[in-house]
Amino acid sequence: MAVAQAERVLKSRWRTASLAAGWAFPGDWQLREVDEVCAAMVDTIDPDDALIRLGRARAEAGAGLGETLLDLAALHAVLDGGGGMVAPDVDALPARMLRLTASGWADVLTEEAVDRGAEDPLTGLATRGYLRTRLGELYREPVAPDEGYALVLVALDLTRATGWSRVVAMTLLSDVLRVVFDGGETLATIGPSVAVVLTRRDASLAQRISTLRVLAADRLAVDPHVRPTGPAKVWSEHLPATHQDACALITALAR
């Protein structure tokens, strides 16, 4: 079997086993780092760096540690189980495989904790941690923010973009957000391909969402390298009744 075909077969069986084990969001399973791990396993080269990058990528995409390790167990079961049915078992993971992936995942959370009040260095938008802090301030006010605020989400499809074009696409999107929401709203990046605006719900919100959709499409269409990331998906979400639920919503939307 050719190397490229073997990698495709491994990835397909890994994905099938992971979804069967309970991976919650089939659409976000595929990452560039998945391909890197498959290549390392098929080519029998040292997979250490690829596993660390996979752990980081899963954390950045919003996957929890338990979900990440169950996905890793699905890979291990496929590698260890031949061509038949497999049963992923986190407890059966080799210690080194588990440690490297978990280490990569934990590195992202450590960095987020350090940068909790900082801006994202690439887009200039606030971090997810800052957004949580801002939401906490709102939920401590006498009037609950779910009555007067909303979240406006913008998501790009980065699966068809590579290298710096992924960064450029998010940078262009952040510029559009600043144009449309220029009244002191909180603008944040909450995932590799998702940005959010915490804004008041008022009579102009629907028009601003429409304007955001049009300007984002225009800006992405200018550069042929970032055009495949569009059209941007733009929508709004009501805030839930509690700060805890709001933070859970942000985590889910980041994916």
Side-chain angles (χ1 to χ4, degrees), residues 38 67 118 170 180 185 217 250:
C38 289
E67 188 176 21
M170 287 301 292
V180 179
E185 298 88 354
I250 292 297

Side-chain angles (χ1 to χ4, degrees), residues 9-108:
V9 170
L10 174 59
K11 182 169 71 172
S12 176
R13 296 195 65 226
W14 176 9
R15 182 178 187 275
T16 298
S18 187
L19 297 186
W23 184 266
F25 300 93
D28 70 2
W29 182 84
Q30 171 58 33
L31 296 170
R32 177 187 61 192
E33 290 76 10
V34 166
D35 294 325
E36 293 174 355
V37 170
C38 289
M41 296 300 180
V42 169
D43 295 344
T44 63
I45 61 177
D46 188 346
D48 287 8
D49 289 342
L51 290 171
I52 292 173
R53 288 194 296 272
L54 177 67
R56 289 188 60 89
R58 290 298 189 209
E60 289 168 352
L65 182 58
E67 188 176 21
T68 299
L69 294 182
L70 187 59
D71 175 58
L72 186 68
L75 169 64
H76 177 254
V78 167
L79 292 170
D80 199 46
M85 297 292 292
V86 298
D89 179 4
V90 173
D91 292 335
L93 280 169
R96 184 176 184 83
M97 194 177 190
L98 186 153
R99 178 176 60 81
L100 290 168
T101 307
S103 176
W105 186 93
D107 283 346
V108 172

Side-chain angles (χ1 to χ4, degrees), residues 175-187 197 199 208:
D175 291 340
V176 173
L177 286 173
R178 292 188 186 92
V179 170
V180 179
F181 293 93
D182 60 353
E185 298 88 354
T186 299
L187 314 179
V197 181
T199 183
R208 285 192 288 172

Side-chain angles (χ1 to χ4, degrees), residues 43 52 59 73 100 130 140 146 165 175 204 221:
D43 295 344
I52 292 173
L100 290 168
Y130 178 83
R140 287 193 293 271
D146 58 306
S165 61
D175 291 340
S204 68

Side-chain angles (χ1 to χ4, degrees), residues 132 135-136 139-140 145 239-252:
R132 291 195 187 102
L135 285 168
Y139 277 93
R140 287 193 293 271
L239 284 174
T242 69
H243 180 225
Q244 181 178 1
D245 288 343
C247 290
L249 176 62
I250 292 297
T251 299

Side-chain angles (χ1 to χ4, degrees), residues 16 32-33 44 86 89 112 124 129 132 147 154 163 169 174 193 207 213 226 233:
T16 298
R32 177 187 61 192
E33 290 76 10
T44 63
V86 298
D89 179 4
E112 286 185 356
R132 291 195 187 102
E147 298 181 11
V154 189
S174 68
S193 62
Q207 180 59 52
R213 188 175 289 111
V226 301
K233 180 182 178 183

